[in-house]
Amino acid sequence: MDIFTIISVLVFLSAIFGYLNARFLKLPNSIGLMLITIVFTMVVFGIGYVDDTLINAERYIISQIDFKSVLLDVMLSFLLFAGALHTNFEQLKVQRWPILAFSTIGVLVSTFLVGISMFYLLQFLGMEISFIYCLLFGSLISPTDPIAVLGILKKAGAPKQLETKIVGESLFNDGVGVVIFLTIFQLASAREVAIEPLDILQLFGVEVVGGLVLGLALGWGTYKLMKSIDDYDIEVIITLATVMVGTLIAQKFHLSAPLAMVAAGLVVGNDKVRNSAMSETTETYVDKFWELLDILLNTLLFVLIGMEMLVLSFKMEYVVAGLLAIPLILACRYLSLLLPIKFFEKKLDFVPKTNLVMTWGGLRGGISIALALGLSDEMFRDVFLVITYIVVVFSIIVQGLTVEKLIKRVVS
């Protein structure tokens, strides 16, 4: 089966599942698509006991897709640029300090809290797993997923200042989270080799600062090109080239491509840039193009997440660990946000119970699964992959379905 056939099958399934969700379930796309795909995969499992043709075909498709590479190296850049392009820049500017604190200090604190909690939980369940690997799990599960968060919050009708905090945090913290994961991954992989604190700071600094600087430069260059012409077709292609070439440059020089795309998207989507560089027609076409691409990639992503069930080893102790990890991870997120919220709530207009809403509305998604898939066998990949999958499914389906009710109860 060649790559075109695999993509065609995935797009076909996405279209069918998307139709079923829009026609019958009427849930947010991320929730509906993943739910339908999981049910579909379970039905295929059932049919497999009688005729294994379908399950073998689905397994083959999943085996041909490097989910980690597809999401982190390709899809994520497009999705983050699209998300940043439609983020309210003025609100983001007002809330920049709490967002910065949530996406850096919050992620670091959560990483260590989750790592410590999981170490003792797994010990209690009889699994002897080194602390460094538990810390690695903490780093991959701590970032919230902007792809999952954006669509659900739009439907939930959250107040603007609260939506900006959650969306802004999730746009930046996944880039920071990926860098923290890669740093701990290097420490875990090179346990025989001494790694100096300066090496860690250098890696972190180059990835984060370099990614942001690249993104700002790309955004400014895109703005200058778009301002010098008035041709909506070419201007849409320029934004597409920005993301594609920018991702290649970031990968070439080991900079954070996610952070670069967030920075570029915020620059190009800024109202001042829009007013001076885009005509009304161009603005409409740019927005519609990126909305469509965003929906298409989102649809494919959540179908793939549902199908990833096929690569998991569902041992009972792994499932128990995953179910017990859910409240632990939620508690760690709540505690990690406590200090930044207490510090900023008097200076800025915070919605009541912001911490509770941000904890429950901070969904995990494909990024966590992609990072878990990148673990090696000696890092207890199977254990952490099952735990991650259970946390992500709970996060998107249970938290995603109830966050709207929570927001309405808190706001009213």
Side-chain angles (χ1 to χ4, degrees):
M1 201 183 287
D2 59 38
I3 190 70
F4 181 75
T5 306
I6 291 169
I7 292 170
S8 300
V9 170
L10 287 172
V11 171
F12 172 75
L13 289 174
S14 300
I16 295 296
F17 296 164
Y19 171 81
L20 290 173
N21 181 51
R23 181 78 173 81
F24 301 108
L25 297 183
K26 297 179 170 59
L27 294 171
N29 276 333
S30 52
I31 299 172
L33 286 164
M34 201 169 80
L35 200 56
I36 292 168
T37 310
I38 289 171
V39 171
F40 171 77
T41 302
M42 289 172 75
V43 169
V44 170
F45 266 125
I47 295 169
Y49 287 106
V50 181
D51 183 350
D52 62 1
T53 308
L54 257 180
I55 197 166
N56 286 339
E58 197 174 339
R59 276 196 175 122
Y60 178 78
I61 289 169
I62 286 296
S63 69
Q64 296 301 302
I65 299 166
D66 183 346
F67 185 88
K68 179 176 180 281
S69 177
V70 166
L71 177 58
L72 295 182
D73 297 342
V74 182
M75 291 173 74
L76 190 57
S77 291
F78 292 96
L79 289 163
L80 289 177
F81 183 85
L85 194 67
H86 298 112
T87 300
N88 187 317
F89 187 80
E90 292 308 312
Q91 268 291 330
L92 199 66
K93 205 159 74 173
V94 172
Q95 306 285 349
R96 64 188 179 277
W97 295 117
I99 287 169
L100 181 66
F102 296 147
S103 58
T104 52
I105 298 166
V107 175
L108 275 167
V109 170
S110 176
T111 295
F112 280 92
L113 288 177
V114 171
I116 293 164
S117 305
M118 287 304 297
F119 176 72
Y120 287 110
L121 172 64
L122 294 172
Q123 292 275 323
F124 173 74
L125 293 173
M127 286 183 255
E128 296 291 329
I129 297 178
S130 298
F131 176 68
I132 189 74
Y133 301 141
C134 295
L135 201 59
L136 196 56
F137 171 74
S139 70
L140 70 85
I141 207 70
S142 289
T144 55
D145 192 325
I147 303 152
V149 168
L150 281 164
I152 290 166
L153 276 183
K154 281 177 189 171
K155 197 168 180 180
K160 276 295 167 196
Q161 67 267 38
L162 179 61
E163 185 184 329
T164 304
K165 287 184 189 75
I166 299 174
V167 172
E169 179 212 6
S170 62
L171 281 170
F172 284 101
N173 78 3
D174 72 293
V176 173
V178 169
V179 175
I180 293 171
F181 173 84
L182 292 173
T183 305
I184 299 173
F185 188 92
Q186 281 203 3
L187 288 171
S189 302
R191 298 181 76 184
E192 306 299 321
V193 183
I195 294 180
E196 298 294 326
L198 195 63
D199 296 332
I200 297 169
L201 281 173
Q202 188 178 4
L203 172 69
F204 197 84
V206 169
E207 285 262 353
V208 173
V209 178
L212 290 172
V213 169
L214 173 64
L216 293 172
L218 287 167
W220 182 81
T222 304
Y223 156 67
K224 283 293 185 184
L225 289 171
M226 292 173 77
K227 190 179 180 182
S228 63
I229 60 171
D230 184 15
D231 186 320
Y232 64 84
D233 290 331
I234 302 301
E235 289 178 73
V236 168
I237 293 169
I238 288 170
T239 60
L240 185 61
T242 297
V243 175
M244 297 175 83
V245 174
T247 302
L248 288 175
I249 294 170
Q251 290 169 355
K252 173 73 176 172
F253 294 100
H254 305 290
L255 311 176
S256 173
L259 288 174
M261 291 308 106
V262 169
L266 288 172
V267 171
V268 177
N270 179 7
D271 285 340
K272 289 178 183 175
V273 170
R274 283 173 175 268
N275 294 336
S276 62
M278 301 185 209
S279 65
E280 280 187 32
T281 307
T282 298
E283 197 171 345
T284 302
Y285 272 84
V286 167
D287 283 342
K288 291 299 178 190
F289 171 80
W290 282 101
E291 278 173 25
L292 180 61
L293 196 59
D294 189 32
I295 290 165
L296 174 62
L297 293 178
N298 260 303
T299 305
L300 288 169
L301 173 62
F302 285 100
V303 167
L304 280 171
I305 291 175
M307 291 173 75
E308 283 296 322
M309 278 179 69
L310 293 168
V311 302
L312 303 179
S313 306
F314 282 107
K315 291 184 180 177
M316 185 51 69
E317 60 266 35
Y318 299 176
V319 174
V320 171
L323 293 172
L324 292 175
I326 292 168
L328 268 182
I329 290 164
L330 286 169
C332 291
R333 173 158 171 81
Y334 186 89
L335 292 171
S336 71
L337 297 173
L338 213 51
L339 190 62
I341 287 174
K342 286 293 177 191
F343 185 79
F344 289 107
E345 68 181 349
K346 290 179 183 176
K347 301 177 184 179
L348 294 164
D349 182 23
F350 273 42
V351 171
K353 296 198 175 16
T354 291
N355 199 347
L356 181 63
V357 178
M358 287 190 70
T359 298
W360 198 251
L363 309 182
R364 271 71 180 188
I367 292 164
S368 294
I369 292 176
L371 293 174
L373 283 163
L375 298 174
S376 63
D377 289 337
E378 68 174 19
M379 295 170 179
F380 297 89
R381 180 180 183 271
D382 287 349
V383 181
F384 289 125
L385 191 51
V386 172
I387 295 172
T388 302
Y389 194 83
I390 290 169
V391 170
V392 167
V393 170
F394 177 88
S395 171
I396 291 172
I397 295 176
V398 179
Q399 291 173 233
L401 282 173
T402 52
V403 72
E404 184 176 353
K405 290 178 184 174
L406 177 64
I407 288 170
K408 284 177 179 172
R409 185 174 293 179
V410 167
V411 172
S412 59

